[in-house]
Amino acid sequence: MINTVEKIYSWENNFQNYKVTYNDGKISSVPLDTANTDYQAIQQWIADGGTVIDNPPE
Amino acid sequence: MGTITQSIANNLTTGLGGASGINFRNIIINGDMNIAQRGTSTASITTDGYYTVDRFNFEIGGSSVWTQSQASDAPSGQGFTYSLKMDCTTAQASPASNDIILVGQSVEGFNLQTIKQGTSNAQSTTLSFWHKHTKTGTNIVELLDADNSNAVSGSYTQSVSDTWEKATIAFPANTSGTYGNDSNRSLRIRFIMGAGSDYTSGTLATTWQTTVTDANRYVGQVNNADNTANNFSITGVQYEVGTTASEFEFLPYGVKLERCYRYYQKSYAYATAVGTNTTIGIRTTSGSAGGMTTGQLYGDLQFKGNMRTAPTMTTYDKAGNSGVCARLNGGVARTDSQNLSMGDISEKSCSITSTGTANAGAIDVHWQAVSEL
């Protein structure tokens, strides 16, 4: 189960993947690839009302 | 004709795979349950996921609880060593109307083109497997076409409790809807273990349904979750083109492992669980003595062959904490729990950047890459 989702940016300020924290404490990096099933799960989580943490570099 | 020439000719006739013809005719990967990179047993399962045997997932609705294992139990004299075993540890006497419990395997479209589905040349297919269930009676297997939302079901019977029996189910050709020629999930092969009345109240659909009626999907399915004495085991799973089941296609161990790597890889040794406190298998980026910094360190991770798609990455430090790495001061110290970010994740590789603060010259990191369907 997803707990939190955060956008991760590169040093060039490109949004490059999601950092996902699951309820069991596991932390994973999910690529922006529509064929990735965890990416699909994040999109569903967002559609269900989940809020993505977004702190782009200044 | 010389002996060698004759041998080649025979192989061309029968197929290099042996008596039953074409190599890689089995669309199922790891059907003999030989590969279990994630581990050999997981207890207290209440949610969907991949737990032990590679490529086989578990899906659950309802309140039953299960232990999954790669069991050293297989039908005698058939060449199998292992089976996928589901052991019910908390029972649910009867499923809720919308509950489904199953084990299954999803297949990417690239591996289904031989069926020619959706054309006038669409092929019939056959699923064969060995089963050993405590609960006697009818069980359902479903082919669920994820590209076109079509489905067809077949049934088999466990006649004698806790005894290995072989099932063969032929499925008709489907001339409606092609499988995408891509790496996405196109077909789900599902071994139903229990289902509620939403799925059992109609007439079993043994021809392809282009509009799926849930009530016709799992008619007659017994409830394998109704007693903690129940086990549900399968092995020797083969899905192939044709109307009959050929002999199970045994592939070399290395070939099976390579095929599983397309969907799951890890840095740890085969028998070591991810998150274990160990340096064996740990990836160390290059560095130089004296080249120390408290700032950023960079490196990359290369996968074994192309994965199905860009994988979900989970990293671990030496101690087994996830989402972080260790920073290595070679010969002096290794500091765990250092920040790590991933970038440029592709089916071949990804970059890693440590933004931790420990004075170090290299990154030490374990990883797991998952691109399951």
Side-chain angles (χ1 to χ4, degrees), chain A residues 17 27-29 33 35-36 38, chain B residues 308-310 312-314 322 342:
Chain A
N17 58 59
I27 300 170
S28 298
S29 297
D33 185 331
N36 181 293
D38 291 312
Chain B
R308 181 187 67 84
T309 189
T312 297
M313 297 298 302
T314 306
S322 79
M342 318 286 300

Side-chain angles (χ1 to χ4, degrees), chain B residues 234-287:
Chain B
I234 55 172
T235 194
V237 181
Q238 179 153 295
Y239 181 59
E240 60 195 305
V241 168
T243 56
T244 58
S246 65
E247 196 173 316
F248 185 82
E249 181 184 41
F250 289 97
L251 296 175
Y253 182 87
V255 173
K256 287 183 284 194
L257 187 56
E258 293 284 341
R259 298 188 81 190
C260 291
Y261 283 162
R262 181 167 171 78
Y263 307 91
Y264 181 90
Q265 300 183 19
K266 62 180 180 179
S267 60
Y268 299 87
Y270 177 85
T272 302
V274 297
T276 298
N277 185 349
T278 180
T279 57
I280 297 174
I282 204 165
R283 160 72 173 149
T284 302
T285 60
S286 59

Side-chain angles (χ1 to χ4, degrees), chain B residues 148-172:
Chain B
N148 305 290
S149 300
N150 298 339
V152 63
S153 299
S155 66
Y156 66 97
T157 302
Q158 179 73 39
S159 298
V160 180
S161 177
D162 285 327
T163 301
W164 283 110
E165 299 170 355
K166 187 172 184 181
T168 300
I169 303 172
F171 293 96

Side-chain angles (χ1 to χ4, degrees), chain A residues 1 8-11 16-20 22 25-40, chain B residues 183-185 296 298 308-316 322-323 341-345 351 368 370-373:
Chain A
M1 292 281 285
I8 299 299
Y9 291 83
S10 71
W11 63 273
Q16 54 184 9
N17 58 59
Y18 288 110
K19 178 181 177 182
V20 182
Y22 295 94
K26 189 173 81 168
I27 300 170
S28 298
S29 297
V30 177
L32 308 180
D33 185 331
T34 57
N36 181 293
T37 54
D38 291 312
Y39 176 85
Q40 295 165 9
Chain B
S183 63
N184 293 325
R185 177 170 59 199
Q296 293 190 353
Y298 303 92
R308 181 187 67 84
T309 189
T312 297
M313 297 298 302
T314 306
T315 61
Y316 301 87
S322 79
S341 62
M342 318 286 300
D344 301 326
I345 304 172
S351 63
Q368 171 187 259
V370 181
S371 61
E372 292 285 3
L373 288 159

Side-chain angles (χ1 to χ4, degrees), chain B residues 50-371:
Chain B
Y50 290 81
Y51 292 101
T52 61
V53 174
D54 277 55
R55 298 296 297 120
F56 283 86
N57 73 317
F58 177 65
E59 297 178 34
I60 183 168
S63 60
S64 59
V65 182
W66 298 82
T67 293
Q68 184 184 98
S69 61
Q70 182 200 40
S72 299
D73 178 26
S76 177
Q78 302 299 321
F80 303 113
T81 302
Y82 298 109
S83 57
L84 171 60
K85 178 180 178 181
M86 299 301 306
D87 176 4
C88 182
T89 57
T90 298
Q92 184 178 2
S94 59
S97 62
N98 62 347
D99 284 347
I100 306 173
I101 308 171
L102 64 92
V103 292
Q105 183 167 131
S106 293
V107 184
E108 59 185 291
F110 281 143
N111 294 342
L112 293 167
Q113 300 307 307
T114 183
I115 298 173
K116 307 180 186 72
Q117 180 167 298
T119 75
S120 57
N121 292 323
Q123 301 288 297
S124 300
T125 56
T126 298
L127 181 73
S128 57
F129 57 95
W130 289 86
H131 56 92
K132 178 182 177 181
H133 310 329
T134 305
K135 186 97 176 170
T136 58
T138 300
N139 290 276
I140 306 299
V141 176
E142 179 185 53
L143 306 183
L144 181 59
D145 172 353
D147 283 334
N148 305 290
S149 300
N150 298 339
V152 63
S153 299
S155 66
Y156 66 97
T157 302
Q158 179 73 39
S159 298
V160 180
S161 177
D162 285 327
T163 301
W164 283 110
E165 299 170 355
K166 187 172 184 181
T168 300
I169 303 172
F171 293 96
N174 184 8
T175 56
S176 175
T178 58
Y179 289 129
N181 187 27
D182 54 35
S183 63
N184 293 325
R185 177 170 59 199
S186 287
L187 178 65
R188 306 172 82 173
I189 299 172
R190 312 174 104 188
F191 296 84
I192 309 302
M193 299 168 60
S197 58
D198 287 357
Y199 303 95
T200 60
S201 57
T203 302
L204 190 67
T206 56
T207 57
W208 284 94
Q209 302 181 87
T210 53
T211 301
V212 175
T213 302
D214 281 344
N216 297 337
R217 295 171 72 180
Y218 311 140
V219 180
Q221 175 66 50
V222 298
N223 180 19
N224 287 282
D226 67 0
N227 194 305
T228 56
N230 288 355
N231 297 317
F232 183 100
S233 301
I234 55 172
T235 194
V237 181
Q238 179 153 295
Y239 181 59
E240 60 195 305
V241 168
T243 56
T244 58
S246 65
E247 196 173 316
F248 185 82
E249 181 184 41
F250 289 97
L251 296 175
Y253 182 87
V255 173
K256 287 183 284 194
L257 187 56
E258 293 284 341
R259 298 188 81 190
C260 291
Y261 283 162
R262 181 167 171 78
Y263 307 91
Y264 181 90
Q265 300 183 19
K266 62 180 180 179
S267 60
Y268 299 87
Y270 177 85
T272 302
V274 297
T276 298
N277 185 349
T278 180
T279 57
I280 297 174
I282 204 165
R283 160 72 173 149
T284 302
T285 60
S286 59
S288 60
M292 308 294 288
T293 180
T294 56
Q296 293 190 353
L297 293 168
Y298 303 92
D300 63 19
L301 305 176
Q302 301 286 330
F303 307 136
K304 307 175 190 79
N306 281 16
M307 300 195 72
R308 181 187 67 84
T309 189
T312 297
M313 297 298 302
T314 306
T315 61
Y316 301 87
D317 61 16
K318 174 189 171 287
N321 303 301
S322 79
V324 291
C325 69
R327 287 167 70 98
L328 181 67
N329 181 353
V332 177
R334 177 186 294 107
T335 307
D336 280 326
S337 296
Q338 299 293 294
N339 289 337
L340 184 81
S341 62
M342 318 286 300
D344 301 326
I345 304 172
S346 77
E347 73 278 10
K348 299 173 73 73
S349 64
C350 67
S351 63
I352 53 176
T353 304
S354 168
T355 55
T357 56
N359 194 33
I363 301 171
D364 256 5
V365 65
H366 275 298
W367 54 271
Q368 171 187 259
V370 181
S371 61

